[in-house]
Amino acid sequence: MNVKKISLLIFFLILIIVMGILMFKFYNEKDTNLIKYTGNEYTFEYNKNWKDLGIATPTSVGPLNRRVGALQFETENEDSVSILKHSNVTLNQYIEEHKKNYLNSTDEGGGFELVSESSYNGNSLTGYKIIFEQMDITYVSYLLESNNTVYEIEYVGTESNYNNIQFDLEKIVNSFKIN
């Protein structure tokens, strides 16, 4: 082999090694836009720009609101993200109940339209994703099951805002762990 071929071979070997190091660093780099939430029952990561509103009380959301007891966040666009817990129910039972409650709602805006539904597994938990709309509000629920308990990660806001934070919601779902 001549010097030119050896030099070219060494150049490509160095290039491959450098690319490998950069790819390793990229895939193993921690997302600095996330904060870890650790509670008594579960742990997950969420967008550091969201405001942690704590646990919803009858005073903060109304005594009959289904979000009483839920962990709540407010996004940069002032939309709502809640983590709700539904005990003693399977995922399939809760999906049917959830759809029935939304589709048969007598809320001021009328019934909800089912936009989409699909299986969605997060971080080794069996799950489901349901999207409803009512007028100009989008309701997205990621449902995750563990030991006859369904954990619901719920977004309420506009469709355009949802499209902007869908990745952030999926970060919660994909990092969600039962303690």
Side-chain angles (χ1 to χ4, degrees):
M1 266 197 211
N2 65 26
V3 175
K4 200 175 198 181
K5 287 183 180 179
I6 292 173
S7 297
L8 194 57
L9 181 62
I10 291 172
F11 170 77
F12 281 113
L13 286 173
I14 291 171
L15 182 64
I16 290 169
I17 291 169
V18 168
M19 292 299 292
I21 291 169
L22 291 174
M23 294 299 286
F24 178 81
K25 182 177 176 169
F26 174 78
Y27 283 109
N28 290 299
E29 195 170 271
K30 186 97 171 117
D31 191 337
T32 57
N33 288 329
L34 298 176
I35 294 175
K36 187 173 187 174
Y37 172 86
T38 303
N40 292 333
E41 294 185 49
Y42 47 79
T43 302
F44 59 88
E45 294 178 332
Y46 68 96
N47 186 316
K48 73 177 182 181
N49 296 317
W50 292 2
K51 184 178 179 184
D52 182 348
L53 302 176
I55 303 297
T57 65
T59 305
S60 67
V61 295
L64 301 178
N65 192 304
R66 75 184 208 95
R67 292 171 193 86
V68 170
L71 177 61
Q72 295 201 296
F73 296 91
E74 182 178 89
T75 69
E76 297 101 319
N77 296 318
E78 298 180 358
D79 293 332
S80 171
V81 175
S82 303
I83 314 294
L84 298 96
K85 177 184 173 184
H86 311 283
S87 300
N88 301 316
V89 64
T90 67
L91 180 61
N92 288 333
Q93 289 170 331
Y94 188 75
I95 290 168
E96 292 309 312
E97 178 185 324
H98 191 59
K99 289 184 347 187
K100 182 177 141 188
N101 288 342
Y102 273 86
L103 295 173
N104 297 329
S105 172
T106 56
D107 199 16
E108 292 175 14
F112 293 78
E113 176 188 345
L114 177 61
V115 176
S116 71
E117 60 181 314
S118 61
S119 295
Y120 190 100
N121 296 326
N123 199 26
S124 77
L125 297 174
T126 302
Y128 206 75
K129 177 181 174 184
I130 304 176
I131 301 176
F132 295 99
E133 286 183 354
Q134 180 190 47
M135 298 166 62
D136 62 342
I137 303 297
T138 298
Y139 296 79
V140 180
S141 292
Y142 293 88
L143 308 171
L144 302 172
E145 181 181 29
S146 177
N147 298 324
N148 267 3
T149 299
V150 174
Y151 296 90
E152 179 178 0
I153 294 129
E154 179 194 57
Y155 165 82
V156 179
T158 66
E159 181 179 2
S160 62
N161 288 348
Y162 169 67
N163 292 333
N164 292 331
I165 70 159
Q166 180 177 1
F167 183 71
D168 289 330
L169 291 169
E170 290 173 358
K171 286 279 191 178
I172 293 174
V173 175
N174 293 330
S175 66
F176 196 89
K177 295 178 186 168
I178 305 301
N179 295 340

